[in-house]
Structure formats: C-alpha cells, structure tokens
Amino acid sequence: MTSNARNVAIVGAGPVGSLMAVYCANRGWNVHIYESRPDMRLPENKAKIQNRSINLALSVRGLTALKGTGLALDELIMKSGLPMRGRMLHIGREGNLVSQNYGVHGECINSVDRAKLNEDLITAAEALSNVKITFDHALKRADLDKGTLELQNKITKEIVKAEADLIIGCDGAYSSVRNSLMRHVRMDFGQEYIPHGYCELSIPAKVGADGQPEFAMDPEHLHIWPRHKFMMIALPNPDKSFTVTLFMPFVNFEMIHNEGDLLNFFDEYFTDAVTLMGKDLLVKEYFKNPKGSLVMIRANPYHYKDRCIILGDAAHSMVPFYGQGMNCGFEDVRILDSLFSEFNVKPTKQGDADKSLELALQAYTDRRAKDLKAICELALNNYIEMRHDVTSPVYIMRRSIESWLHLLVPAKVIPLYTMVSFSNRPYSEAYIRHKSQGFWLGVVGATVGLGTAVGMAVAGWRNRRHLKDTSDLLKAAFLTAAQSVQKLVQ
Amino acid sequence: MTSNARNVAIVGAGPVGSLMAVYCANRGWNVHIYESRPDMRLPENKAKIQNRSINLALSVRGLTALKGTGLALDELIMKSGLPMRGRMLHIGREGNLVSQNYGVHGECINSVDRAKLNEDLITAAEALSNVKITFDHALKRADLDKGTLELQNKITKEIVKAEADLIIGCDGAYSSVRNSLMRHVRMDFGQEYIPHGYCELSIPAKVGADGQPEFAMDPEHLHIWPRHKFMMIALPNPDKSFTVTLFMPFVNFEMIHNEGDLLNFFDEYFTDAVTLMGKDLLVKEYFKNPKGSLVMIRANPYHYKDRCIILGDAAHSMVPFYGQGMNCGFEDVRILDSLFSEFNVKPTKQGDADKSLELALQAYTDRRAKDLKAICELALNNYIEMRHDVTSPVYIMRRSIESWLHLLVPAKVIPLYTMVSFSNRPYSEAYIRHKSQGFWLGVVGATVGLGTAVGMAVAGWRNRRHLKDTSDLLKAAFLTAAQSVQKLVQ
C-alpha cells in the first residue's frame, strides 16, 4: 500500500465492487474492500453462500468496462462465456421453435456464470498490491463526514472500526451504504416490487452418441417460452446444462400446491420443456428452490460531497429482463472512472475537502441519472416484450422492418436492442432515439401497406396468373417503401 | 392490565400513537407505548426535545377521531385551539390585506400548539388503567413473526426486549417499525424531498392599550404572504403571538449569507411583516433556527399478517400545505378502529394467527391506500395554490363561482377545501369529485362569459345610459347561468 495515497473503502465484493477496486487501484489509491459474506472462492463456503440466481448476460457495456482495466479482464471472463446470438422462442404447447437474432450483424450476448465471474474478479482485484479484501464484515453504519465505518465481524460478532477518504457502496439493492447516505443527503428514493416472482429450475445435459454430455437444446440461443402472462427462459452453461427461470405472478405460484398441480401446469404450458427437464428433477427443484421477488430501486443523488458514492444495484436495482443489471453496474464504474480523469482527481488526498473529487462525484449524479432511469424503464418494458410481444405479428413485422432499415441506413435507424446491448451509447439517448424512430417505421409501414394493397388490386385485375402468391409483390412493395425512406432520411 | 387481553405495542407517543393507544385501550387491550424521546411533559425535558415545528391546523377529520374516543378529547384539545375562518392574504410589498373564507358557512380550521396537543393526548392515554408508556426507549428492530421488539434504553444504552401480539408503528416519517415491516413484506416504498425548505420565525404579541398582550394581526385567519416562487405563513397562538413559517427553495435560503442579505430580502418581499416581527428578532430567529426539509413518503402495504401495521407519517408523510398531516393520521386511527369492529376483532388474542385481525389489517391496506395517495397529492398541489394561485383572478373567479354554487346546490357542487377540511368524506372521493365538478364550473363559466358579452353588447347599443357600470349586468348573467345549471344538475 502507498502510504500517502487516497484511502478508499469499497463496501461489497460483488462484480461491481470488485471491478471498482481494480479501477481505483489502477489510479494508485489504497483500496480496502469489505464484504459481509465469506470468501465465496473457498470450497467450504460454497454451500453457505446463497448465490443470486438468474444467469448473467454479458454484453458490450460490461465487456467495455472489463477491458478498460487494462488487465484483459474481458478476455478472462469470456473464456467461460457462451455466446447467444438470438432468442429461441418455444411457441405453443408443442414448443415449435422460432429463432430471432439479437443483432443484424450476428452480434451475441454472452451467458456467464455469476459465481465464476465474481470469483474471477475478486481474484483479479486481490492480485493488485494496493487492494485488500476483508470478508465476513458487514457495514453497520458509516459517518460520512468523519469518514468512519462501523463494521460487524460476522464470525466473532465484534464491532470493528475503519476509516476511509472515500466510501463506495457496491452493496446491492438493500445497501447499507445507501442507508448511511440517506442520513446525510435529502435522497429521493423508491423501491417497487413487481407482482411477479421467479423460480430457478434446470435442464440437465443429455448423454450424446459418444457418451459425452451434450446440450439438450441449441446452446447459441437464449430460450424463451413466452406465455403472455408469464414466461420461462433458459440460458446455457459450460457444463452443457441450462439454467431455467420461470417468471410469473406470485398468485400463480401460490396456486401450485403439490406435485400434481405442478405437472398439470407444466404439461399444459411447457410440454417440450418437461421432457427435457425430467419430471423428477422438475418436481424436486420447483419445491426446493425459493420463489424470489423482483425489486426496482431508484435513488438520487448517488453521492455525498467528496465522501461517498453508490454504484450498481445499490443505486439502481432493475428487473432482469434486459440482461443489463450487471452491464449497467460495470458501466457505472467505467463512467465514474472517466469522470475522475475529466476532473483531474489526484492519486493522493487533497486536503480535508477534495474539490476535484467532489466535482467528479457531483458530475456523476448529474449526468448518470437520466441513463439509469431509462434502463430501469426499458428493463421493465422488456418483460412484456419477452413474455408476450415476441409472438405478435405486428411486433415481428416492426422488428424485421427495423433490422432491415438498419442494414440499409445504419446511421439513421438502429434497433433498440442493438443500441442497448451492442453499443456504449447512453441508455437515455438510445431510448429517445428508439421513440423517434417510430416515425420512420410508421412511414415505411404505411408505404408497405399501401403498396401491397395497390399491388394486390392490380394483380387481381390484370395479372392473376403471373402472381400465384403474393410474396413477390410483398418484396416489391418493401423495396419501393425502403427506397423512398432512404431518399427521405439521407 | 387484563391478563388474557391482547397485548399491543405502539411505537411512538406522538399525537397518532397516543390516540391509537386510547382507541386500543377502549377495546380492552393491554397497550404499551414505547417512545424514543424523554417525557415531553416534564419541565426538565422541554429544552432537550427538538419539537416538530409548523403549527397544526386541526379540522373535522381530526376532531371526529378525537371525539370517537368517547372521552371528549375533541373538547379538551379545542380548549386551547384558535379558530381560523379563512386565509388572510398579504398582497404585494405593502401587504394589502385580502380575506378568503375557508368555508361558505363560516367553518373554521383550528390553530393548535403541537406540543400542547401531544402532551394532552399522552396524559389522556396514560390515565387509562390498561395503557403503559415507556419513554427514552428507541426501537432497534422487531421480529414480526415472533412478535418481539428490541429496544434501546437511550439513557443506559442497554438493549431491552419486549413482546406484543400486535405492533403498531406510529413513529413518524423515519419509522423503525416500517424498516422492520420492509423485511417481512414486499413493500412498495418511496421518499421524495421537495426542493423547498422551511424556517420558523415569529411575530410577538404587541402591548395593547390596557397594557395586556394583543395579537399584532387578525387572529381569526391563517395569514399568507404568497410570493409565487415562495411564501410565508403565520398561525395564531394562545399567547397572542404568531408562529411564522417561511417556505422557499433551498437555493434561495443559501443566497442569504448575512444580516444585510436577510433584511434586504424581507424588505423587498415582506415589508409589513418585518415591522411586526421586529428586525432584531427576525435576524436572531432566522440564523438560529434550522432550515427544515419537506419529505413525502409513501408505502404499501401498511401491514403484515395479524402482527403489524403502520399509521400516520410512518405510512404517508406529506408536505404540510393542506394542514391535513395530523388530521389524516387521526383518521387512520378512527378507520382502523372501525375495521376492528367490522371484522369483529375480539379483545382477547385468538390463537397464534388471529384471522379476524388479519382481515381487518388487510382491509385497512386495501381500502385506505387510494385515500392516502389522494391527500399526499392534494397537499403537494396546495403549495402552488397557497403561494401562487390565491392571487390569480381566474382562481378567485372559479373559487367564488364554486362557493356560490355550493350554496345553491349544496349536494351537487362542494368546494374541494370544504370536502377535505370540513367533512369526513374519503379523500379520494373528494379528489375525484373535485375533478368532475370542473365540468359544471366550465358550463357556468361559459354561460357567465357568454351572458356578459351579449349583455355588454346590448348595453352598449341600446341602453348605454342606464347601465353605467357592468355590475348589474354581471349579477344578472351570474343568476341566469346559475339557474340553468340548477336545472341541469337537479
């Protein structure tokens, strides 16, 4: 540790806290991470730790922030990541498969194991000489003006005191740092639960022809069973199994009392999945695993003077439906770090009130709020898209027009999913742009509709024999419409 | 105490907690109130206790709940209440006075001293044989399933345990009971600060002709200095002084650095008030008194099984601009009590899970939410009304038409203020009705406008000499309009 360097306390050694530690250490700061849970890397602790479920989908924002450490952490994490190039919809009782690509150029999001990613990041942070990690210590309270922390050793139960020039809260949705922050600033704060919960299940690997384990479904997709009021999803794991998550209203969970109820329900809605899961495993996992709740948390401001800031779920817990929770948390880290540079924050502490650090934290609150609001809203909207819209003809038409326009005029029309998952464009900008693109899509839709109608009439009147089906006509109408739009927007 | 009676722990001996204790005691329950502050009635504690400022305006809802105890608590409190029959606007620099009555039948709201009211209610509760109060004990946490409370003795610092069948949280905006409740239920929760703060000042009594203290302004009004972006108000006290509260954006408070800034500001906006306050007292109080913040808090649900419920500010802290905070808290108590009757909750505990109590608490959450949402919104809207709208001609016209229609067709048109302050009609119903009355007011406004215009034209053309001013004409137009509306709505 450097003796005159800035002392930073990071509360929480989750993915966001560990990454923040690496960024701070890169700046020459002394970093001490406090984590309330035991060290998850030790075999004896694995069983004790109740890991967060729902697989992570790592995409561009997360990868950019990992890469920004200069330690090739993106490559490290991607070693065990499984690329998913689209959604695989399981339609109807029979589970008819329909693939919808995520990107128009084959871009992928990546299924990663949350525990593995977290362990890798803890190890990467700990490897740095100016990072220290103390496990089994839970923050009780922090006096942000004095820069003191009171922590409880979870094993001995004794209270330990610590000091820091800057306290960074990466301690999740039920953040203790945020609670302390609320005593120092007039914080606008909200928490809302959606009426839906989730339950984790699994589809095991099957035994292949060569006796080796094999994926039971296409591993290059995020599988979705969209059932309108509820849905089930599955993400691939390196051991060839799938982690399955059933999302539905709590009232529906409460209607399943016993094995019979469960199997009836699955037979009716997820026939193909039951076969892949196996009834015994399904029953065992469904009744063993907790029914988790989904909370949205918003806060503002995120900081107090030059003393404290909250990042990740502590500041903006969102529902998991855009796969952006961790990506957004990692982006928090990257953006905060870029503000440290922009405001020329020094490696050593500058007097009792560090103006440049305060300005950087203030700028973070000022600039980041609208993006965090946007992604929380997008994540919620995406639940309806995933469980319902994906099967609607209008949605599919809009989506295909949008993708196709993106290929024609890539600078003018960009699908929302591409902006959110495959770019670092600010979330709020992506959201605004998505809304304004609605206009062009309307123009195209109208032109296509009109062209088709006229074409059909003409075909019916003069050329019945030459146009047996309408597909050629439709293609022609599409092309005409696209050309006119291309002229309009260029 | 009755040995087999239900044991209720009430956290907080504020006005709502004390009143709830009386209601529970009336049901034959054993009540134990825990209050974190010292006994405010003891002279040695008066200085220690930082009392909540902003005078209280007791109106019908509060009085109804006080009366409902059967102990004539309404009469007790009203002994030191000062009726205010309207607003007195101090317009412009000179403070020209304009009175606006609150009710069309001379109804009054009542200025009461918060500390005095609280003390009276504590004494009333304590006088009952089945109520016990423990001061200086702060709730740390509650296990609602076990029905246990952990409290800290604020003097000895030791942790004390307690038990209760039902825990009622009346512990204000930063409620500890609510924090425990949040660990047991998926609570939607929000807290938002408005960008305005407040500072308490005073106008002392003046010496009358007979040497006795006298009010420096009309004591039968709530005085308002509406200054559009900010405002000052004053409420009378029994000692003939006025408690004055300046509400304005924090940024404006921050622009007043010294005596010169303060006096310039007051001279510009509150010329008449400066004379009444006296410059020395103004300067002393302004710089001594804290600049308080104003928070809005919403929660849902309010209860957990048959174990816990939160009332008053703990459940719905609102901004003070409708004078309904305490009235609404008292109404919470009355309504909860009426649900105990409706669901036939017994004086003794019925087994480990008391179904009728659970149903009563559930009904409270289900039925009360929309009313609490409505009053919080109304309170916020009323700030704009008080600081700005009250001086606008359109507002004054609408208000006078509404009052006047209320006299004509009292069952059909009721001014919002009357419904909120002078009735026990559910807040949400009052709000909805107020919105729908907009239609009739539009009809009348249009008729009046049309009638006036036609009348003016006719007068100008034929009868110029006989109608020197338009007042007769206006009256005629009003009458015509009202008659037509009367026909329409009856």
Side-chain angles (χ1 to χ4, degrees):
Chain A
M1 299 252 173
T2 321
S3 64
N4 62 347
R6 196 182 294 277
N7 287 310
V8 180
I10 294 178
V11 181
V16 174
S18 309
L19 183 66
M20 188 73 231
V22 175
Y23 268 91
C24 289
N26 281 348
R27 296 194 158 266
W29 301 354
N30 288 331
V31 180
H32 199 145
I33 308 182
Y34 300 95
E35 168 59 49
S36 64
R37 296 176 304 173
D39 187 347
M40 63 195 297
R41 295 166 302 175
L42 303 178
E44 65 266 33
N45 292 331
K46 298 245 183 228
K48 273 193 267 175
I49 296 171
Q50 200 196 353
N51 267 312
R52 284 270 295 282
S53 40
I54 308 178
N55 284 40
L56 295 173
L58 184 62
S59 53
V60 163
R61 290 170 206 265
L63 289 167
T64 306
L66 289 169
K67 194 184 175 76
T69 57
L71 302 176
L73 293 181
D74 53 329
E75 291 168 28
L76 173 74
I77 301 302
M78 279 305 291
K79 272 184 199 161
S80 48
L82 293 168
M84 302 179 289
R85 62 182 169 81
R87 299 171 180 143
M88 185 69 84
L89 306 182
H90 295 237
I91 308 281
R93 251 189 103 141
E94 305 75 24
N96 292 324
L97 299 178
V98 176
S99 165
Q100 289 179 351
N101 280 354
Y102 281 128
V104 289
H105 305 289
E107 297 96 326
C108 292
I109 60 173
N110 305 286
S111 175
V112 296
D113 180 83
R114 189 188 155 90
K116 176 77 166 63
L117 171 134
N118 203 159
E119 289 172 21
D120 285 350
L121 289 184
I122 290 174
T123 302
E126 209 178 26
L128 302 173
S129 63
N130 49 346
V131 174
K132 194 180 162 188
I133 310 185
T134 303
F135 292 96
D136 298 301
H137 276 65
L139 180 72
K140 287 292 158 192
R141 64 188 63 80
D143 184 323
L144 304 182
D145 282 309
K146 290 185 188 150
T148 55
L149 299 94
E150 242 178 70
L151 302 126
Q152 185 176 38
N153 182 324
K154 302 283 273 183
I155 296 161
T156 66
K157 303 288 174 205
E158 70 186 328
I159 298 290
V160 180
K161 304 224 173 189
E163 287 186 7
D165 303 318
L166 173 64
I167 298 169
I168 305 181
C170 307
D171 49 346
Y174 302 99
S175 168
S176 296
V177 176
R178 189 182 63 224
N179 285 342
S180 292
L181 188 56
M182 284 170 106
R183 292 196 192 92
H184 289 76
V185 294
R186 293 191 296 272
M187 186 191 282
D188 287 347
F189 172 78
Q191 77 172 37
E192 267 157 289
Y193 289 87
I194 66 168
H196 294 236
Y198 69 91
C199 179
E200 208 169 281
L201 305 166
S202 63
I203 292 177
K206 64 176 185 182
V207 182
D210 55 357
Q212 294 297 308
E214 263 181 26
F215 282 108
M217 305 185 295
D218 181 340
E220 293 198 342
H221 283 85
L222 189 158
H223 292 258
I224 310 184
W225 289 257
R227 296 298 179 262
H228 310 296
K229 304 259 180 222
F230 55 90
M231 71 171 185
M232 195 165 74
I233 65 168
L235 281 83
N237 295 317
D239 68 358
K240 318 274 179 185
S241 69
F242 282 85
T243 301
V244 179
T245 316
L246 170 63
F247 294 94
M248 68 179 180
F250 276 103
V251 288
N252 293 74
F253 279 114
E254 283 154 17
M255 279 154 50
I256 298 173
H257 300 285
N258 52 45
E259 202 175 312
D261 293 346
L262 180 70
L263 294 176
N264 283 343
F265 172 72
F266 266 75
D267 276 338
E268 184 167 349
Y269 292 104
F270 309 116
T271 320
D272 62 329
V274 177
T275 316
L276 301 175
M277 291 169 160
K279 288 191 180 180
D280 290 348
L281 183 65
L282 166 62
V283 170
K284 188 181 137 202
E285 289 187 331
Y286 180 88
F287 289 104
K288 193 191 81 183
N289 290 345
K291 311 299 170 279
S293 55
L294 298 164
V295 69
M296 294 183 289
I297 281 175
R298 59 178 175 76
N300 192 285
Y302 309 112
H303 79 291
Y304 173 65
K305 293 184 180 168
D306 61 334
R307 298 307 173 99
C308 179
I309 192 160
I310 50 172
L311 303 176
D313 280 0
H316 52 77
S317 183
M318 66 190 79
V319 290
F321 306 111
Y322 223 117
Q324 284 293 309
M326 182 193 58
N327 288 291
C328 178
F330 282 3
E331 191 179 61
D332 289 350
V333 172
R334 178 179 66 81
I335 285 178
L336 178 59
D337 183 73
S338 73
L339 290 169
F340 289 155
S341 297
E342 184 179 328
F343 287 89
N344 196 20
V345 176
K346 300 284 192 302
T348 54
K349 186 166 161 61
Q350 308 293 304
D352 195 43
D354 189 330
K355 202 65 198 168
S356 57
L357 179 55
E358 182 169 354
L359 288 173
L361 302 189
Q362 180 68 53
Y364 181 88
T365 285
D366 293 343
R367 299 187 199 170
R368 190 82 177 130
K370 62 183 186 308
D371 292 319
L372 298 177
K373 184 165 179 280
I375 187 59
C376 288
E377 213 173 306
L378 285 168
L380 188 62
N381 295 348
N382 217 45
Y383 188 23
I384 301 162
E385 182 161 333
M386 286 173 86
R387 74 181 198 242
H388 176 67
D389 297 348
V390 287
T391 60
S392 119
V394 172
Y395 170 85
I396 294 165
M397 176 63 105
R398 185 197 154 126
R399 202 172 183 284
S400 63
I401 295 175
E402 202 170 27
S403 306
W404 181 66
L405 278 178
H406 180 49
L407 286 171
L408 281 175
V409 284
K412 302 281 175 186
V413 174
I414 317 174
L416 179 61
Y417 198 92
T418 298
M419 290 189 279
V420 169
S421 298
F422 306 130
S423 89
N424 290 307
R425 185 187 297 264
Y427 288 120
S428 59
E429 212 181 292
Y431 200 9
I432 290 164
R433 187 165 186 141
H434 169 69
K435 286 179 188 163
S436 71
Q437 281 172 191
F439 171 71
W440 297 116
L441 292 171
V443 170
V444 178
T447 315
V448 168
L450 192 69
T452 309
V454 170
M456 301 280 271
V458 170
W461 177 53
R462 281 212 328 206
N463 237 340
R464 192 178 304 243
R465 274 166 301 175
H466 296 294
L467 287 163
K468 290 210 181 64
D469 62 16
T470 56
S471 68
D472 290 349
L473 179 63
L474 271 170
K475 276 182 204 159
F478 260 98
L479 197 63
T480 316
Q483 280 166 350
S484 68
V485 169
Q486 203 168 6
K487 275 180 203 143
L488 264 172
V489 297
Q490 271 173 349
Chain B
M1 300 251 172
T2 321
S3 65
N4 62 346
R6 196 182 295 277
N7 287 310
V8 179
I10 294 179
V11 182
V16 175
S18 309
L19 184 66
M20 188 73 230
V22 175
Y23 269 91
C24 290
N26 280 349
R27 296 195 158 265
W29 300 354
N30 288 331
V31 180
H32 199 145
I33 309 181
Y34 299 95
E35 167 60 48
S36 64
R37 294 176 305 172
D39 187 346
M40 63 195 297
R41 296 167 300 175
L42 303 177
E44 65 267 33
N45 292 332
K46 297 246 183 225
K48 274 194 266 175
I49 296 172
Q50 201 196 351
N51 266 310
R52 285 270 295 282
S53 40
I54 309 177
N55 283 40
L56 295 173
L58 184 62
S59 52
V60 165
R61 290 171 204 265
L63 289 166
T64 307
L66 288 169
K67 194 184 175 76
T69 57
L71 303 176
L73 292 181
D74 52 329
E75 291 168 27
L76 173 74
I77 300 300
M78 279 305 291
K79 271 185 200 162
S80 48
L82 293 168
M84 302 179 290
R85 61 181 169 82
R87 299 169 179 144
M88 184 69 84
L89 307 182
H90 295 236
I91 307 282
R93 250 189 105 141
E94 304 75 23
N96 292 324
L97 299 179
V98 176
S99 165
Q100 289 179 351
N101 280 355
Y102 282 128
V104 290
H105 304 289
E107 298 95 328
C108 291
I109 60 174
N110 305 287
S111 175
V112 296
D113 181 81
R114 189 189 155 90
K116 175 79 168 60
L117 171 133
N118 203 159
E119 288 171 22
D120 285 351
L121 290 183
I122 290 174
T123 301
E126 210 177 26
L128 303 172
S129 63
N130 49 346
V131 174
K132 193 181 162 190
I133 310 185
T134 302
F135 292 96
D136 299 301
H137 277 65
L139 180 72
K140 287 292 159 192
R141 64 187 63 79
D143 185 323
L144 304 182
D145 283 308
K146 292 185 188 150
T148 55
L149 300 94
E150 242 177 70
L151 302 126
Q152 186 176 37
N153 182 323
K154 302 281 274 184
I155 296 161
T156 65
K157 304 287 174 206
E158 70 186 329
I159 298 290
V160 179
K161 305 225 172 189
E163 287 185 8
D165 303 318
L166 172 65
I167 298 170
I168 305 181
C170 306
D171 49 347
Y174 302 100
S175 167
S176 297
V177 176
R178 190 182 62 225
N179 285 342
S180 292
L181 188 56
M182 283 170 107
R183 292 197 191 91
H184 290 76
V185 294
R186 293 191 297 272
M187 185 191 283
D188 287 346
F189 171 77
Q191 77 172 37
E192 265 157 289
Y193 288 88
I194 66 169
H196 295 235
Y198 70 91
C199 179
E200 209 170 280
L201 305 166
S202 64
I203 291 177
K206 64 177 185 182
V207 183
D210 56 357
Q212 294 298 307
E214 264 182 26
F215 283 108
M217 304 185 296
D218 182 341
E220 292 198 342
H221 283 84
L222 189 157
H223 292 259
I224 310 184
W225 288 257
R227 296 296 179 265
H228 310 297
K229 303 259 179 223
F230 54 92
M231 72 170 184
M232 195 164 75
I233 66 168
L235 281 83
N237 295 317
D239 69 358
K240 318 275 179 182
S241 68
F242 282 85
T243 301
V244 179
T245 315
L246 170 64
F247 294 94
M248 67 178 180
F250 276 103
V251 288
N252 292 74
F253 279 115
E254 283 154 16
M255 278 156 50
I256 298 174
H257 300 284
N258 51 46
E259 203 176 310
D261 293 347
L262 180 70
L263 294 176
N264 283 341
F265 173 71
F266 267 75
D267 275 338
E268 185 167 349
Y269 292 104
F270 309 115
T271 320
D272 63 328
V274 177
T275 315
L276 301 175
M277 292 169 159
K279 288 192 177 178
D280 289 349
L281 183 65
L282 166 63
V283 169
K284 190 182 137 202
E285 290 187 331
Y286 180 89
F287 289 105
K288 193 191 81 184
N289 290 345
K291 312 298 171 280
S293 54
L294 299 163
V295 71
M296 293 182 291
I297 281 176
R298 58 177 177 78
N300 194 286
Y302 309 112
H303 80 291
Y304 173 65
K305 293 182 180 169
D306 62 334
R307 299 307 173 98
C308 179
I309 191 160
I310 50 173
L311 303 176
D313 281 0
H316 53 76
S317 182
M318 66 190 78
V319 290
F321 305 112
Y322 223 117
Q324 284 293 312
M326 182 193 58
N327 288 290
C328 178
F330 282 4
E331 191 179 60
D332 289 351
V333 171
R334 179 179 66 81
I335 286 178
L336 178 60
D337 184 73
S338 73
L339 291 168
F340 289 154
S341 297
E342 184 179 330
F343 288 89
N344 195 20
V345 176
K346 300 283 192 304
T348 54
K349 187 166 161 61
Q350 308 295 305
D352 195 43
D354 188 331
K355 201 64 198 169
S356 57
L357 180 55
E358 181 169 354
L359 288 173
L361 302 188
Q362 180 68 52
Y364 181 89
T365 284
D366 293 343
R367 299 187 199 170
R368 190 80 179 131
K370 62 182 186 309
D371 292 319
L372 298 177
K373 184 165 179 279
I375 187 57
C376 288
E377 213 173 306
L378 285 169
L380 188 63
N381 295 347
N382 217 44
Y383 188 24
I384 301 163
E385 182 161 333
M386 286 174 87
R387 73 179 199 242
H388 175 67
D389 297 348
V390 286
T391 61
S392 119
V394 172
Y395 170 85
I396 294 166
M397 175 63 103
R398 184 194 156 127
R399 203 171 182 283
S400 62
I401 295 176
E402 203 170 24
S403 305
W404 183 67
L405 279 179
H406 180 50
L407 286 171
L408 282 175
V409 284
K412 301 283 174 184
V413 174
I414 316 174
L416 178 61
Y417 198 92
T418 297
M419 291 190 279
V420 170
S421 299
F422 306 130
S423 89
N424 290 307
R425 184 187 296 266
Y427 289 122
S428 59
E429 212 182 290
Y431 200 9
I432 289 164
R433 189 167 183 138
H434 168 69
K435 285 179 188 162
S436 72
Q437 281 173 192
F439 171 72
W440 296 116
L441 291 170
V443 169
V444 178
T447 315
V448 168
L450 192 69
T452 309
V454 170
M456 301 280 273
V458 169
W461 177 52
R462 281 213 324 207
N463 237 343
R464 193 179 303 245
R465 274 166 302 175
H466 297 295
L467 287 163
K468 290 211 180 62
D469 61 16
T470 56
S471 68
D472 290 349
L473 178 64
L474 272 168
K475 275 181 204 159
F478 261 97
L479 198 63
T480 317
Q483 280 166 348
S484 68
V485 169
Q486 203 168 3
K487 275 180 205 146
L488 264 172
V489 298
Q490 271 174 350

